[in-house]
Amino acid sequence: MTESDLPVVEFHPYRWGDPAHPAQLPPAAREALAALGVPAPPPPPVEPARVSLPEPALSREDLEPITAILGPDNVTDDHDARLAHTRGWSTTDLLRIRAGDATDAPDAIALPADHDEVVAVLAACAAADIAVVPYSGGTSVVGGLSPARAGFRGVIALDLRRLDGLESIDRISRTAELQSGMRGPRAEKLLGGNGYTLGHFPQSYEGASIGGYAAARSAGQSSAGYGRFDDMVVGLRLATPRGTIELGTAPRSAAGPDLRQLVLGSEGTLGVITSVTVRIRPIPETRVFEGWRFDDFAAGAAALRQLAQDAPAPTVVRLSDEVETQINLSDPDKMLGGGPGGCLAVIGYEGTGDDVERRRAAATQVLLAAGGRPEGTGPGEAWRTGRYRAPYLRDPLLDAGVLIETLETATFWSRLLDVRSAVTSALTESLGTDGRPVLVLCHISHVYETGASLYFTVACAQTDDPVGQWRGAKRAANAAIRGHGASISHHHGVGRDHRDTYAAEIGPLAAETLRAVKNTLDPKGILNPGVLIPDEDAR
Amino acid sequence: MTESDLPVVEFHPYRWGDPAHPAQLPPAAREALAALGVPAPPPPPVEPARVSLPEPALSREDLEPITAILGPDNVTDDHDARLAHTRGWSTTDLLRIRAGDATDAPDAIALPADHDEVVAVLAACAAADIAVVPYSGGTSVVGGLSPARAGFRGVIALDLRRLDGLESIDRISRTAELQSGMRGPRAEKLLGGNGYTLGHFPQSYEGASIGGYAAARSAGQSSAGYGRFDDMVVGLRLATPRGTIELGTAPRSAAGPDLRQLVLGSEGTLGVITSVTVRIRPIPETRVFEGWRFDDFAAGAAALRQLAQDAPAPTVVRLSDEVETQINLSDPDKMLGGGPGGCLAVIGYEGTGDDVERRRAAATQVLLAAGGRPEGTGPGEAWRTGRYRAPYLRDPLLDAGVLIETLETATFWSRLLDVRSAVTSALTESLGTDGRPVLVLCHISHVYETGASLYFTVACAQTDDPVGQWRGAKRAANAAIRGHGASISHHHGVGRDHRDTYAAEIGPLAAETLRAVKNTLDPKGILNPGVLIPDEDAR
């Protein structure tokens, strides 16, 4: 199976991934729930059809300027559509919708067909004081789809699914222009038909879209070899309430600031990215994914650092800490099946046969010298084929009464072990105050010459208020991240959940600069209000 | 000789590079001047001491707030200091100063000692309506040091030479914090003493500074291996009239737009970069620079594209076109000595012995398959050791009555040959209207997966108005660049010279966004007025 064989799925409002293939907890996991002190399962989720949505704040008349642009078939306030566009995919988002809380539902959904329609709808919404949530994959895990309503007549979700075309391929320059509503699997299928791949495979690959990758600075699991999504973008088209910005006359330039990098990561607050021109690569001939074992996380991290600094880059580089290695979350079918101890790394190579052999030989030398023990392709292939399944386990775990969520950060190598300790301690202390057992798993999944990402998975028994329980833990983790000078996000983004910590990270003058940019492009502030851009009174 | 052996030189106001080693025209070049139709040499330059500077617009009293911050020893309106800070190093800059025109001289020079002094001086200048030219290497070739005076009481050059410290080295993360007034050779010496190199060697290496590299998005001759300067920066500190912005909590992040990329390339218009944290690398063990010959430029460009797309990156990748190969400008001692025809490429590798061998073997395979003929290390080493000398030839050529200047652009691979033709034609037509012979040389010196730079050197006999002569040619070249969708600069920057073309390149809404950023950080507009930021009435 390759990435282009995966279907584009419509996510179920309560469940991660392809609804046709829900996950079941493996027997070992069920036994382990007792160790977490999980009491009886909580009440089952409210049925989608029975969730009561707020009365739409926008009447048919209010929507008339939008309907005039898109046609009546492309504007809806249907119950199911509104529910499907309510919030994103964080655990707190799921917990709230499972409890029947759909207070953040948009009043209507608008489906533009092209760039010009997006520009026209934004202008119409600005004129009518209607807030707009740019929506494509809907996979935000940081509250990026829950705008602040205050001051607006209502909120629409601007769903870009009709913008899903491959506009052009430039085989000489190896670039392709993709519309932003296209999902990952469709992009791989269309590019694959021409002999190319994007090589961007984030955990949310089955649902996320090209526009979301760009707007939230996504990083895929093959980032060591293919780069982050913001590395791939050479051009983009942005629709704003005041018109269009097109960027990218050359791969790189000294003509002023790189404004592409101002739009990338703007999370729909400065405009709607309607297409991106991305660097593409030939479909790899060969693929080798291997497991390596290290005595402990520090030894494994040092080895990964040497790989990133002194060897030709593998395509995939990741290292699970002792707890994650033990729990084996990367191979859900064997989850909690245990292992021979230490820390497991997965190192993968893709490319031509020669190139893979060359890079693999060099990396193997580095990994052996750093104390790594090769475990062959078994663990690597198990990770590769199972990798999109891990988040599916969240659903049955929530059903069973487990609070489970992830968070992530990035820092320089010299701070990495300290940041990991601090975040682990903060989570354990916050969630374990009442003696509750807390599991904190950590891995490195993206490496750079000067630093790396840290990705945490946290599990414990739910309290009666699991949303409040997690928010407390998140506050503690954020404080630890900030206190150690790390970034509030490596690839999840800011959204509403990280906005205050983000404000502290960039400081008040940079925050004011961002507000000035927003005021220029979106003077009425209709675009994703409450997301990313720090408030004036943020410290 | 390695880069760290080169001295930090004070540029002479009329001459490029180390004044202790002026260039002489080789005999073959003298003969060739006749072919260009060069008449008798123009009058010699006005002696520096005899250039009459405008009366300083700022009195001692006007400067008192700045003197109070820096002390009287660090504020001067001395003739030589003012002259040395007049404009930069473009040919039109030199022609004007040679003709005794120093109308752009700053009224005074201020020499702050640290970041806090820079912030204080900027605030004082904002309060007193004094414009500020951030100045470090002084090597701008795009009018980046000639601010618009209108509306200001006067202009000071803020010379950062006292900020030349290596603040810290992080050996684990392989980063170093360098103050921005430090010149390239000093950076290499200080880092080299610790076993590291920056690997950034632009043509202006002997004079340019760390802050200039950052503010103007410099790209060095080893960019294929070490990256551009904007790739090296992981953090920076910006002093603005409204305070400080510090950026760079992690190598890469999804916490909003990458604001580092908004400051990089801002050319002193948004603030003064006082330090940068850069990625460093171990001093290479081995170095191999080789010559390769191709039948023509198209064949050579196709080979370079394959290197950039399908092989591990060499450290240096460059290709001269037929004319440049013939003239052999890259080896000044043999300039105009001719050669065996075709196009010469220089491909260089630096690193550990193993790494160089691995990359060289892979690249050699690609180059041979693409029709390249190896010429051994002779031409490569000749280029490497002579590479900083080529611009020295401009001085004796100007003395002899030749108009000589360079310009550059970047574009995608699929447009590269068309852009080269269009720019060559535009220059030839503009300068050759009266039947004057025109030489246009071109090379590729920076390659990316999706495109490359094009660098042009132009020579012909001077008219009576060489400044106007060049400006007409530059307008024609800019129109060709813009008309073919290429960027107005790959690494020279925007300055005043490219401001209008830059405005067209980014479009009116992006230009308005930049003005909003500037208005936030520099509400009085004192920072480098007239540079980079498009005017409101720019189309």
XYZ file of all heavy atoms in Angstrom, chain A residues 476-514:
282
model
N -0.234 23.890 32.095
C 1.037 23.548 32.755
C 2.106 23.217 31.713
O 3.263 23.647 31.823
C 0.831 22.367 33.701
N 1.724 22.457 30.695
C 2.699 22.102 29.642
C 3.154 23.338 28.888
O 4.349 23.514 28.609
C 2.080 21.093 28.682
N 2.202 24.206 28.564
C 2.558 25.432 27.839
C 3.545 26.278 28.641
O 4.492 26.848 28.083
C 1.313 26.270 27.543
C 0.407 25.623 26.505
O 0.723 24.569 25.961
N -0.723 26.255 26.233
N 3.295 26.363 29.947
C 4.196 27.159 30.791
C 5.595 26.547 30.797
O 6.603 27.263 30.759
C 3.635 27.256 32.204
N 5.658 25.223 30.814
C 6.975 24.559 30.795
C 7.688 24.822 29.464
O 8.891 25.089 29.425
C 6.805 23.059 31.027
N 6.937 24.743 28.373
C 7.525 24.993 27.045
C 8.061 26.414 26.960
O 9.195 26.665 26.583
C 6.454 24.735 25.950
C 6.214 23.226 25.809
C 6.858 25.357 24.620
C 5.012 22.854 24.951
N 7.207 27.370 27.356
C 7.605 28.774 27.315
C 8.779 29.036 28.252
O 9.732 29.732 27.929
C 6.393 29.649 27.696
C 6.595 31.147 27.569
C 6.335 31.615 26.167
N 7.436 31.391 25.270
C 8.490 32.187 25.138
N 8.615 33.267 25.855
N 9.434 31.914 24.278
N 8.702 28.455 29.460
C 9.739 28.670 30.467
C 11.099 28.182 30.012
O 12.132 28.680 30.470
N 11.109 27.212 29.113
C 12.385 26.684 28.614
C 12.744 27.236 27.243
O 13.631 26.716 26.571
C 12.361 25.151 28.590
C 12.547 24.581 29.962
N 11.565 24.614 30.915
C 13.645 24.008 30.553
C 12.027 24.060 32.030
N 13.280 23.697 31.839
N 12.036 28.277 26.798
C 12.422 28.946 25.556
C 12.152 28.133 24.309
O 12.735 28.401 23.260
N 11.263 27.137 24.385
C 10.917 26.361 23.187
C 9.709 27.005 22.510
O 9.071 27.904 23.063
C 10.627 24.914 23.561
N 9.405 26.524 21.309
C 8.272 27.096 20.581
C 6.979 26.394 20.973
O 6.959 25.187 21.203
C 8.483 26.963 19.069
O 7.342 27.439 18.391
N 5.897 27.134 21.013
C 4.607 26.567 21.412
C 4.099 25.547 20.402
O 3.240 24.728 20.725
C 3.555 27.676 21.658
C 2.308 27.111 22.309
C 3.239 28.436 20.383
C 2.542 26.417 23.624
N 4.654 25.540 19.200
C 4.241 24.485 18.272
C 5.289 24.220 17.204
O 5.811 25.148 16.590
C 2.924 24.841 17.574
O 2.620 23.855 16.589
N 5.551 22.952 16.977
C 6.377 22.576 15.825
C 5.553 22.391 14.563
O 5.982 22.753 13.478
C 7.156 21.297 16.105
C 7.901 20.807 14.893
N 7.375 19.888 14.004
C 9.102 21.168 14.388
C 8.233 19.694 13.018
N 9.288 20.450 13.228
N 4.343 21.797 14.671
C 3.543 21.623 13.461
C 2.032 21.612 13.685
O 1.289 21.534 12.715
C 3.975 20.371 12.680
C 3.863 19.093 13.455
N 4.892 18.587 14.202
C 2.844 18.220 13.586
C 4.511 17.441 14.762
N 3.262 17.203 14.412
N 1.564 21.721 14.917
C 0.106 21.781 15.117
C -0.452 23.176 14.843
O -1.593 23.314 14.423
C -0.267 21.350 16.536
C -0.262 19.867 16.727
N -0.473 19.273 17.936
C -0.060 18.843 15.846
C -0.412 17.945 17.799
N -0.150 17.676 16.548
N 0.337 24.183 15.127
C -0.126 25.550 14.916
C -0.561 26.224 16.215
O -0.315 25.722 17.315
N -1.177 27.376 16.070
C -1.528 28.229 17.217
C -3.028 28.169 17.508
O -3.448 27.865 18.628
C -1.094 29.690 16.942
C -1.557 30.608 18.083
C 0.422 29.766 16.783
N -3.836 28.462 16.518
C -5.287 28.427 16.709
C -5.746 29.351 17.816
O -5.166 30.425 18.017
N -6.790 28.945 18.529
C -7.179 29.717 19.715
C -6.468 29.178 20.942
O -6.196 29.907 21.881
C -8.687 29.620 19.938
C -9.489 30.349 18.888
C -10.963 30.355 19.199
N -11.287 31.343 20.221
C -12.527 31.711 20.496
N -13.538 31.183 19.833
N -12.771 32.603 21.428
N -6.170 27.869 20.913
C -5.656 27.230 22.127
C -4.297 27.767 22.544
O -3.971 27.809 23.728
C -5.542 25.711 21.909
C -6.894 25.052 21.685
O -7.922 25.771 21.730
O -6.927 23.830 21.449
N -3.456 28.144 21.577
C -2.080 28.562 21.895
C -1.872 30.059 21.776
O -0.745 30.530 21.815
C -1.090 27.864 20.938
C -1.002 26.391 21.140
N -0.570 25.539 20.158
C -1.283 25.611 22.219
C -0.588 24.298 20.624
N -1.020 24.319 21.872
N -2.950 30.795 21.577
C -2.783 32.197 21.231
C -2.051 32.995 22.310
O -1.167 33.808 22.005
C -4.143 32.838 20.939
C -4.002 34.163 20.251
C -5.317 34.591 19.650
N -6.287 34.876 20.679
C -7.028 35.976 20.698
N -6.913 36.871 19.742
N -7.891 36.175 21.644
N -2.373 32.774 23.567
C -1.710 33.557 24.621
C -0.224 33.195 24.733
O 0.628 34.066 24.904
C -2.405 33.340 25.969
C -3.800 33.946 25.967
O -4.106 34.759 25.070
O -4.588 33.588 26.867
N 0.064 31.910 24.651
C 1.472 31.511 24.740
C 2.245 32.011 23.526
O 3.401 32.423 23.638
C 1.586 29.974 24.844
O 0.621 29.501 25.775
C 2.963 29.570 25.309
N 1.588 31.993 22.392
C 2.213 32.531 21.174
C 2.535 34.011 21.338
O 3.622 34.477 20.960
C 1.271 32.301 19.994
C 1.717 32.930 18.692
C 2.937 32.597 18.108
C 0.909 33.867 18.041
C 3.329 33.172 16.912
C 1.293 34.438 16.843
C 2.516 34.095 16.289
O 2.905 34.667 15.115
N 1.596 34.763 21.910
C 1.842 36.193 22.135
C 3.088 36.390 22.983
O 3.916 37.266 22.714
C 0.627 36.837 22.802
N 3.242 35.559 24.010
C 4.435 35.664 24.858
C 5.686 35.274 24.075
O 6.755 35.853 24.266
C 4.281 34.773 26.081
N 5.552 34.297 23.187
C 6.714 33.815 22.424
C 7.256 34.892 21.492
O 8.471 35.058 21.368
C 6.319 32.566 21.624
C 7.456 31.962 20.822
C 7.099 30.587 20.235
O 6.323 29.845 20.868
O 7.605 30.261 19.153
N 6.388 35.636 20.835
C 6.890 36.628 19.865
C 7.039 38.020 20.474
O 7.739 38.856 19.927
C 6.018 36.700 18.593
C 4.586 37.154 18.890
C 6.026 35.366 17.856
C 3.757 37.429 17.650
N 6.391 38.279 21.602
C 6.531 39.576 22.263
C 5.561 40.604 21.713
O 5.011 40.453 20.618
N 5.350 41.687 22.491
C 4.269 42.633 22.154
C 4.484 43.405 20.852
O 3.513 43.698 20.148
C 4.239 43.586 23.353
C 5.520 43.376 24.079
C 5.979 41.995 23.771
N 5.730 43.742 20.508
C 5.937 44.552 19.306
C 5.712 43.706 18.041
O 5.125 44.187 17.057
C 7.347 45.145 19.327
C 7.649 46.289 18.363
C 6.605 47.391 18.434
C 9.045 46.839 18.657
N 6.139 42.453 18.065
C 5.871 41.564 16.931
C 4.370 41.307 16.824
O 3.811 41.250 15.717
C 6.641 40.253 17.079
N 3.703 41.177 17.957
C 2.251 40.957 17.936
C 1.536 42.160 17.321
O 0.606 42.006 16.523
C 1.748 40.704 19.358
N 1.998 43.340 17.671
C 1.400 44.545 17.105
C 1.630 44.598 15.590
O 0.755 45.031 14.822
C 2.008 45.773 17.795
C 1.275 47.052 17.482
C 1.880 48.263 18.190
O 2.514 48.079 19.264
O 1.727 49.373 17.673
N 2.794 44.140 15.167
C 3.098 44.089 13.725
C 2.125 43.155 13.002
O 1.606 43.488 11.935
C 4.548 43.611 13.523
O 5.422 44.465 14.264
C 4.934 43.632 12.061
N 1.875 42.013 13.593
C 0.911 41.081 12.984
C -0.484 41.694 12.903
O -1.195 41.524 11.924
C 0.827 39.794 13.808
C 1.821 38.703 13.491
C 1.501 37.468 14.336
C 1.787 38.344 12.013
